[in-house]
Amino acid sequence: MVEDTDRRPTRDRQSILASRQLEILEAIARGAPLASTLADVAALVEEQARGMMASILLLDADRRIRHGAGPSLPEGFMKAIEGEAIGPAAGSCGTAMYFNKTIITPDIATDPLWESYRDVALAYGLRSSWSIPLLSSDGRVLGSLAQYYREPRDPSPRDRQLVDIARHLAEIAIERHQAEATLRNRNAELEALNTRLKEMDQLKSNFVNLVSHELRTPLSAIRGFAEFLEDQFGGPLSTEQISYVAEILRGAQRLQALLDDLLDFARMDAGTFHLEREEVELVSTIGKTLESLRPLALVRKIDLEGPPEETQLRLRADPARVSQILINLVGNALKFTPAGGRVSVAVFPLGGEVRVEVNDNGTGVAPEHLLHLFERFYQVDSGNSRGSSGAGLGLPICQALVEAHGGKIGVTSTPGVGSQFWFTLPMAV
Ligand SMILES: Nc1ncnc2c1ncn2[C@@H]1O[C@H](COP(=O)(O)OP(=O)(O)OP(=O)(O)O)[C@@H](O)[C@H]1O
Ligand SMILES: [Mg+2]
């Protein structure tokens, strides 16, 4: 057995070791490249024990050996083990990584673990080695750290102490490098995803714009000619034909409303949506809107009531849009209230704003759905079982319109009892 031959005073060696450690830690903190940090760690070990060659190997995702550092080891030997699989008898390092334990080979010439690599190791003059696994903070094997000698020998207590110090440095460096690589990959993935989302968003809004513009022209032709027919400009119609034409017109109106909603969303998403604000008297606007809905209420046998006409509330708002909000909310109330029910609209001035409430004693909405009602295309029961039509765009449009005015919108509801949809609008200053 050969003993530690370094005759430098222990104190000198210890202080050199301490300052090397510090330098390496600083380099890791600065984000130095992994290869250079590992080479420094290997050099630190070699510097402390003359004649010893250190190696640091990395374990890749396929559990194969990858070069880390081996500044003094013969290049041919390092090349021979590069890319080799670890296993139960794969030299000192491959076996140490495989079993996650320290493997000591006092003589490569006789150790069965070295069978596959014995010839190459002996050819390069390597005679003894020992290796410890390098672990991540959560216990994964990251690689191995080994010492080689050109003569048969066991590791000395000094070797063990050195390797212990070096292993910590190598583990920190490798783990940090892996964490950074993971972070870089995630960032790249996120960036790619973001670009894709932007493209899809652009595509969607181009598509909506195109579709709604392209559909408008034929739709106006359908409406126009159906109206001609309805007015019997093309000759007298039978009662049956009159009812068919009425169906065509109703369908065309529904399509028109849907296109208007889609186009509004497209404008809002593109930031090109604008309100046409003017002085508005709220109660009379509500009155006019309710008048337009009265035929529907009559058909559905629902009592529809508005706020007392004498109330005066002045706002700066877009009257067409305020009316659109009401048509949606009152339209919903009429749609989801059974015959014989009641729908009422009330207004309350409150500080600098006015609160408008649309109350019904209809089906109500279960609490788990309430939060989602204002999402685009959300419908409590969108199956065919529901008797009511629609696309689930009314409430999100209302929300966008109310918020464009600087107001808020909300709902309280009890299933089987009824709902209150409310919104606020700032008063004119
Ligand atoms: N007054 C109400 N009573 C009970 N449920 C309601 C009421 N108002 C809305 N809802 C529920 O909220 C869902 C979404 O309403 P929204 O107005 O956004 O869409 P829609 O009326 O289904 O379709 P659209 O308004 O696009 O024609 C409705 O499908 C319904 O399930
Ligand atoms: Mg609706």
Side-chain angles (χ1 to χ4, degrees):
M1 294 286 142
V2 179
E3 271 314 305
D4 186 358
T5 52
D6 194 329
R7 305 214 184 281
R8 277 179 289 178
T10 313
R11 271 236 319 273
D12 277 8
R13 281 203 278 165
Q14 289 296 9
S15 70
I16 292 172
L17 186 61
S19 70
R20 288 279 186 277
Q21 264 179 276
L22 198 64
E23 280 165 22
I24 292 174
L25 282 172
E26 281 169 358
I28 295 173
R30 274 200 314 275
L34 182 64
S36 82
T37 308
L38 294 183
D40 287 349
V41 174
L44 167 147
V45 178
E46 291 179 349
E47 205 178 70
Q48 297 284 318
R50 220 165 287 149
M52 180 257 282
M53 292 157 281
S55 97
I56 298 172
L57 299 178
L58 303 172
L59 185 62
D60 75 9
D62 297 327
R63 301 189 61 76
R64 289 186 174 273
I65 292 171
R66 295 292 163 203
H67 179 78
S72 306
L73 277 163
E75 215 183 303
F77 176 72
M78 294 303 270
K79 277 203 179 122
I81 58 173
E82 173 72 14
E84 290 292 293
I86 61 170
S92 309
C93 294
T95 313
M97 288 191 252
Y98 184 79
F99 287 119
N100 183 9
K101 69 174 199 191
T102 301
I103 300 290
I104 297 174
T105 299
D107 192 351
I108 290 175
T110 55
D111 193 328
L113 294 183
W114 274 85
E115 205 174 310
S116 313
Y117 301 100
R118 179 174 300 126
D119 292 347
V120 63
L122 295 178
Y124 283 108
L126 305 174
R127 191 59 195 273
S128 62
S129 96
W130 69 291
S131 175
I132 59 162
L134 297 172
L135 302 179
S136 67
S137 40
D138 58 359
R140 275 179 304 118
V141 176
L142 300 169
S144 64
L145 174 64
Q147 291 185 345
Y148 288 81
Y149 282 93
R150 294 193 181 277
E151 58 280 327
R153 61 172 280 173
D154 273 317
S156 67
R158 171 86 185 135
D159 285 339
R160 290 175 187 272
Q161 183 207 357
L162 262 179
V163 159
D164 240 4
I165 293 169
R167 91 176 320 153
H168 283 308
L169 294 170
E171 284 169 349
I172 295 170
I174 299 170
E175 206 172 6
R176 171 164 177 163
H177 176 78
Q178 287 189 350
E180 278 170 358
T182 311
L183 206 65
R184 267 199 303 278
N185 284 346
R186 292 253 165 86
N187 272 346
E189 277 169 21
L190 276 179
E191 248 166 53
L193 208 65
N194 202 13
T195 315
R196 181 95 192 98
L197 274 178
K198 277 191 190 144
E199 283 168 6
M200 285 177 44
D201 221 40
Q202 190 56 45
L203 263 179
K204 188 193 73 181
S205 70
N206 288 351
F207 176 76
V208 170
N209 257 321
L210 182 96
V211 165
S212 34
H213 277 120
E214 291 306 308
L215 291 181
R216 269 163 183 251
T217 320
L219 185 60
S220 359
I222 294 172
R223 286 187 71 171
F225 285 108
E227 276 161 14
F228 278 176
L229 284 177
E230 189 184 38
D231 295 338
Q232 314 212 5
F233 286 146
L237 299 185
S238 69
T239 326
E240 212 172 6
Q241 286 168 331
I242 289 175
S243 80
Y244 295 160
V245 170
E247 273 309 315
I248 295 175
L249 276 171
R250 248 196 305 280
Q253 263 156 16
R254 280 229 300 274
L255 212 50
Q256 179 78 53
L258 190 62
L259 284 183
D260 288 344
D261 283 356
L262 285 176
L263 207 58
D264 278 347
F265 277 131
R267 288 200 192 103
M268 284 165 189
D269 291 346
T272 53
F273 175 84
H274 298 294
L275 292 176
E276 310 263 336
R277 285 184 196 257
E278 57 185 70
E279 183 125 318
V280 172
E281 205 296 293
L282 183 63
V283 176
S284 69
T285 306
I286 295 176
K288 276 184 235 150
T289 309
L290 292 190
E291 277 327 297
S292 72
L293 288 164
R294 208 161 289 286
L296 184 62
L298 266 174
V299 172
R300 297 193 45 86
K301 301 193 172 57
I302 292 168
D303 182 24
L304 178 61
E305 231 180 82
E309 289 285 336
E310 57 277 14
T311 329
Q312 289 262 314
L313 289 168
R314 295 203 173 283
L315 307 178
R316 268 199 74 74
D318 182 332
R321 297 307 193 168
V322 171
S323 188
Q324 189 183 351
I325 299 167
L326 284 162
I327 288 175
N328 273 312
L329 297 184
V330 177
N332 280 349
L334 294 173
K335 196 154 64 166
F336 299 104
T337 301
R342 181 164 184 276
V343 171
S344 64
V345 180
V347 291
F348 301 97
L350 223 115
E353 57 185 25
V354 55
R355 176 180 163 110
V356 182
E357 294 178 354
V358 177
N359 297 292
D360 68 59
N361 59 356
T363 56
V365 180
E368 67 269 24
H369 294 296
L370 274 186
L371 271 181
H372 301 289
L373 290 190
F374 295 92
E375 291 167 12
R376 289 181 198 183
F377 302 110
Y378 191 89
Q379 297 182 306
V380 171
D381 170 18
S382 51
N384 286 338
S385 59
R386 67 192 259 141
S388 18
S389 56
L393 288 176
L395 290 177
I397 283 275
C398 287
Q399 179 172 38
L401 294 178
V402 167
E403 286 173 358
H405 278 91
K408 288 196 176 62
I409 190 165
V411 54
T412 54
S413 187
T414 313
V417 176
S419 310
Q420 178 184 89
F421 285 81
W422 58 264
F423 62 94
T424 61
L425 294 173
M427 300 272 251
V429 271

